[in-house]
Amino acid sequence: MYTIKSTLGKGQGLFAAQKIQAGVRILGDEVLFSITNSTINEGIGERISVSLGNLPPEQQQQFETLHCPDHPTWTPLVSRYLANCFEMKPPGSGIFLKAARVNHSCCPNAFFSWNSNLQCVTIHAMVDISAGDEITVSYIFPFFSLEIRQAVFRERYAFECDCPACNLETLTGQSGEHRRMRMDKLCLGVDKRNGGPSNNDEKELRMALDFIELAVDEHLDGEFLSCMYRRARECYEDKGLGDLALRYAEMELETVKRLLGGDHPVTIESARALEELKGRLAVVQQRERDGEKMDAS
Ligand SMILES: [Zn+2]
């Protein structure tokens, strides 16, 4: 489905060997080694060294083949690890040899996630990808402003992103930056974990809907978007607007199924939430029908 080739200035990269449809799992990759705490502090070098040292020599050599940015303060071991690791169960992270070859774009066409059911990192096509196109993921929340993105790229990955969103000399880059800065602000105002009603649902619903509109306009997709669909679904249900709650629950499920796969815990949870919502709405409709019958008699 893909080939690994050298790219200009970015080490190796993954390229589609054929057309890949949105939602297809491009790869599922098992961990080479991991650390349970990837907080960047004095002890991180020691933690990486101990975990790497437990591997047989040939696997240690595989790690050595990964891209190692020239970072001003970190040792090559830490620099190579941080540039290539993927988040597992936070704060843990690990090295996945195939996934580590996937380069970053702030306008990605694929999505990576840790699937605890499969114990592997998966990468799914976010949109249809043409044969020959590079497969890219966003290493960070892509709706951060350019200033924040560039700081993270410099600090963590020691690279400059040259994607269309990072070029503010073009109209695309400028309008995209404007949308992303608004999304960043809106994201802070929406409670993405709270399953219950909020004290200010009307305002929060408006923010979630604005975020969704901006993300769609900017062609940005990700688990963060499914969180907004979920919050909109919860707010609509609180307001007694069942049809709208159902529509957003379906969009939430479509998003996580496409980006994470049907076997991901988040997708399983979204599917369960949709079925439960349908059950609650059916009860409400039955009550309404019973009420109409009583009124008529
Ligand atoms: Zn970029």
Side-chain angles (χ1 to χ4, degrees):
M1 194 182 310
Y2 62 84
T3 51
I4 296 175
K5 290 195 288 194
S6 290
T7 60
L8 203 61
K10 292 191 283 186
Q12 291 182 311
L14 247 67
F15 290 80
Q18 60 189 64
K19 183 182 173 183
I20 304 174
Q21 285 193 320
V24 166
R25 180 166 291 165
I26 297 168
L27 62 85
D29 201 4
E30 287 178 11
V31 70
L32 180 70
F33 73 97
S34 63
I35 55 175
T36 51
N37 179 0
S38 53
T39 311
I40 301 172
N41 56 20
E42 279 177 13
I44 189 166
E46 178 65 16
R47 295 195 294 275
I48 297 167
S49 178
V50 168
S51 186
L52 180 65
N54 288 331
L55 292 180
E58 62 274 19
Q59 289 189 330
Q60 292 188 32
Q61 281 162 13
Q62 288 179 313
F63 174 66
E64 300 290 327
T65 65
L66 296 178
H67 178 59
C68 180
D70 191 12
H71 196 278
T73 47
W74 297 332
T75 63
L77 175 73
V78 174
S79 187
R80 178 173 280 125
Y81 184 85
L82 291 178
N84 291 286
C85 71
F86 281 86
E87 198 176 81
M88 297 164 70
K89 197 171 178 218
S93 64
I95 292 294
F96 301 81
L97 287 173
K98 283 179 271 185
R101 304 295 185 190
V102 183
N103 284 316
H104 165 89
S105 171
C106 309
C107 312
N109 55 17
F111 189 81
F112 79 87
S113 67
W114 166 248
N115 186 322
S116 58
N117 282 351
L118 303 178
Q119 290 291 300
C120 70
V121 152
T122 62
I123 292 182
H124 288 83
M126 197 182 263
V127 291
D128 291 345
I129 302 174
S130 303
D133 280 2
E134 183 171 9
I135 297 162
T136 54
V137 297
S138 182
Y139 293 171
I140 59 174
F141 284 130
F143 55 80
F144 286 153
S145 69
L146 178 61
E147 194 183 349
I148 296 175
R149 297 202 305 276
Q150 282 182 333
V152 176
F153 299 149
R154 259 197 313 273
E155 285 293 308
R156 170 91 192 239
Y157 301 102
F159 77 87
E160 299 280 336
C161 183
D162 59 358
C163 81
C166 288
N167 184 355
L168 294 192
E169 286 176 12
T170 66
L171 210 59
T172 309
Q174 287 164 12
S175 54
E177 178 63 4
H178 183 64
R179 280 194 281 262
R180 286 169 199 240
M181 284 173 81
R182 283 178 59 203
M183 288 167 75
D184 194 5
K185 277 206 189 83
L186 287 166
C187 187
L188 295 172
V190 179
D191 183 351
K192 294 161 291 295
R193 289 155 301 153
N194 184 353
S198 91
N199 293 327
N200 200 351
D201 265 358
E202 196 55 55
K203 192 175 167 202
E204 200 182 5
L205 174 61
R206 192 66 260 157
M207 287 195 286
L209 295 179
D210 285 351
F211 183 100
I212 291 166
E213 194 183 336
L214 289 162
V216 170
D217 285 351
E218 186 61 7
H219 305 292
L220 278 184
D221 210 337
E223 215 178 328
F224 54 86
L225 189 55
S226 69
C227 291
M228 292 294 176
Y229 287 139
R230 183 184 317 139
R231 199 62 190 129
R233 178 251 291 172
E234 287 163 352
C235 292
Y236 275 130
E237 195 183 359
D238 288 347
K239 287 157 73 74
L241 298 171
D243 287 350
L244 283 167
L246 198 59
R247 194 200 296 172
Y248 279 86
E250 283 168 349
M251 289 196 284
E252 175 194 335
L253 182 58
E254 185 281 326
T255 304
V256 289
K257 220 184 227 175
R258 178 166 43 83
L259 301 181
L260 310 175
D263 48 16
H264 194 284
V266 169
T267 311
I268 293 166
E269 173 58 28
S270 290
R272 190 187 60 77
L274 175 62
E275 287 312 308
E276 285 182 2
L277 175 64
K278 283 180 181 170
R280 288 194 296 277
L281 294 178
V283 169
V284 171
Q285 283 170 353
Q286 187 58 48
R287 274 201 205 119
E288 283 171 359
R289 278 197 293 273
D290 291 347
E292 283 165 15
K293 271 188 216 153
M294 295 230 330
D295 289 345
S297 59

